[in-house]
């Protein structure tokens, strides 16, 4: 009977940890998407200085999120986001036409990361 109680406790802890990690990832991904939306809106307005500042705040938030998420999320997903993220500052400095497309792709990948971590009963 003691083994059964311990097993139920362990299972409960795993379920709670899973739910908390899912909520945390969803919340942080939402914040990252908001920051990228700010970068895109500043860039669309032609305000590259404000876009660069918003991109720096996104960089800081991404690095903090990535270090925590690397334990919970597949490294392949994070690597793809890193690949696009590394090009953003260069594209912004060069005032490239591809900047908007890269921001949109990055936002979509973060959204996929967000929705991909939601556990389903099936």
């Amino acid at each position: 009977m003691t083994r059964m109680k311990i097993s139920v406790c362990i299972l409960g802890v795993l379920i709670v940890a899973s739910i908390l990690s899912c909520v945390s990832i969803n919340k942080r991904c939402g914040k990252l998407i908001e920051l990228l939306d700010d970068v895109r809106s500043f860039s669309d307005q032609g305000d590259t200085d404000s876009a660069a500042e918003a991109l720096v705040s996104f960089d800081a938030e991404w690095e903090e999120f990535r270090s925590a998420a690397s334990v919970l999320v597949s490294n392949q997903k994070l690597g793809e986001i890193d690949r696009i993220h590394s090009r953003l500052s260069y594209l912004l400095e060069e005032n490239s036409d591809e900047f908007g497309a890269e921001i949109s792709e990055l936002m979509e990948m973060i959204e996929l990361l967000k929705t991909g971590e939601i556990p389903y009963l099936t």
Side-chain angles (χ1 to χ4, degrees), residues 8-99:
V8 169
C9 288
I10 291 173
L11 183 62
V13 167
L14 288 174
I15 290 172
V16 168
S18 174
I19 291 170
L20 291 178
S21 67
C22 177
V23 168
S24 173
I25 287 174
N26 283 337
K27 183 178 175 184
R28 301 284 296 275
C29 283
K31 186 173 182 179
L32 288 170
I33 290 171
E34 287 176 13
L35 289 171
L36 281 175
D37 195 36
D38 291 344
V39 172
R40 182 172 38 185
S41 66
F42 287 133
S43 176
D44 289 345
Q45 295 171 1
D47 190 0
T48 56
D49 293 335
S50 297
E53 290 175 16
L55 190 57
V56 167
S57 65
F58 172 78
D59 291 344
E61 185 70 28
W62 170 250
E63 291 302 322
E64 184 180 324
F65 172 74
R66 190 186 194 321
S67 64
S70 64
V71 176
L72 304 171
V73 180
S74 168
N75 205 22
Q76 183 180 5
K77 293 178 183 179
L78 297 176
E80 287 294 317
I81 293 172
D82 270 339
R83 182 183 57 81
I84 296 171
H85 170 252
S86 65
R87 294 190 304 216
L88 286 181
S89 60
Y90 174 74
L91 291 174
L92 182 62
E93 288 173 4
E94 296 295 318
N95 201 13
S96 176
D97 293 336
E98 295 178 16
F99 184 74

